[in-house]
Amino acid sequence: MSTDPTCLFCKIVRGEIPASEVFRDADVVAFHDLNPQAPQHVLVIPTEHAANLSAFARTASAHAAQRLLQVCGEIGSSLGPAGYRVVTNEGGHAGQTVHHLHFHVLAGREMSWPPG
Ligand code: 5GP
Ligand code: ZN
């Protein structure tokens, strides 16, 4: 399995730092964001390290990509029956701060569009 010893979210995958997990299997881990931006704010990540969506798109198996999207949809619809949002930030302009692909699943309040 591809992991980065210095990556924060790889450490969560390996269980080296704690997280409030809501889902885990061989391909995907989901856990509550430490600094939630909505009443429900879960991060959904692949267990294999990829720095961002572009890298994941180049390297991931079809199975890993499918599972990541499936878990986002399952968690989103369960946390946000009235609606939810899935976001990934890539690069400085988008405000990415952790360089392991993660989808933010946000729910529990009305959200504006366009995003800031
Ligand atoms: P980004 O800005 O890269 O799109 O999102 C990174 C997210 O990771 C932020 O929402 C931030 O609150 C969250 N985060 C950063 N460090 C930790 C951590 O150690 N544990 C958890 N659960 N979330 C974290
Ligand atoms: Zn990583």
Side-chain angles (χ1 to χ4, degrees):
M1 176 176 292
S2 166
T3 66
D4 178 335
T6 66
C7 168
L8 179 65
F9 286 176
C10 283
K11 290 180 183 173
I12 288 176
V13 170
R14 293 194 299 266
E16 293 170 10
I17 64 169
S20 171
E21 292 186 16
V22 298
F23 179 85
R24 174 182 282 267
D25 71 7
D27 302 297
V28 179
V29 179
F31 49 94
H32 290 286
D33 196 292
L34 210 52
N35 182 25
Q37 302 301 311
Q40 305 288 345
H41 186 171
V42 167
L43 301 175
V44 180
I45 70 171
T47 55
E48 293 268 335
H49 179 82
N52 51 40
L53 182 58
S54 302
F56 185 76
R58 286 192 298 272
T59 59
S61 67
H63 176 76
Q66 178 185 42
R67 290 297 300 138
L68 193 61
L69 274 184
Q70 284 174 335
V71 172
C72 285
E74 287 162 6
I75 288 175
S77 56
S78 99
L79 294 181
Y84 66 96
R85 183 169 289 173
V86 177
V87 175
T88 191
N89 298 316
E90 175 167 334
H93 276 191
Q96 183 179 10
T97 58
V98 177
H99 296 277
H100 179 131
L101 172 62
H102 48 283
F103 287 113
H104 299 258
V105 180
L106 300 147
R109 64 168 170 82
E110 287 193 24
M111 288 171 223
S112 59
W113 192 263

